[in-house]
């Protein structure tokens, strides 16, 4: 079964960019680790989108383990 494409809400992408920039201003290594963990979380979600608990308004949420950041997502039917 093919994975569904991932689309980012414009505000979510801006929030990720702002968080990445915040970490980068403090440490390039921290920013790289943040990016790596966020991308790994996206891969987990794509592989098993129903694995994480329901959140608000039909969304689900995966909390990153090492950063104060959550990936909030909604699985679309198509």
């Amino acid at each position: 079964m093919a994975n569904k494409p991932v689309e980012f809400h414009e505000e979510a992408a801006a929030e990720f960019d702002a968080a990445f920039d915040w970490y980068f201003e403090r440490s390039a290594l921290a920013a790289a680790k943040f990016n790596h963990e966020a991308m790994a979380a996206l891969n987990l979600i794509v592989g098993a989108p129903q694995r994480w608990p329901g959140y608000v308004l039909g969304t689900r949420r995966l909390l990153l383990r090492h950063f104060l950041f959550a990936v909030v997502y909604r699985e679309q039917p198509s």
Side-chain angles (χ1 to χ4, degrees):
M1 180 169 131
N3 291 330
K4 294 179 183 178
V6 175
E7 296 179 23
F8 294 94
H9 189 281
E10 184 178 318
E11 291 177 26
E15 186 176 338
F16 174 82
D17 290 344
F20 179 87
D21 291 346
W22 188 89
Y23 284 111
F24 190 80
E25 288 173 8
R26 285 144 184 83
S27 164
L29 180 59
K33 288 181 178 183
F34 171 69
N35 186 65
H36 177 73
E37 187 168 341
M39 294 305 112
L42 288 175
N43 285 329
L44 289 172
I45 291 167
V46 168
Q50 296 182 356
R51 180 176 174 186
W52 287 271
Y55 189 49
V56 295
L57 300 174
T59 63
R60 293 177 182 270
R61 179 176 71 165
L62 185 159
L63 300 173
L64 299 188
R65 293 185 71 156
H66 300 104
F67 296 91
L68 295 175
F69 199 83
V71 179
V72 178
Y73 64 98
R74 179 178 292 123
E75 184 180 16
Q76 299 295 333
S78 60

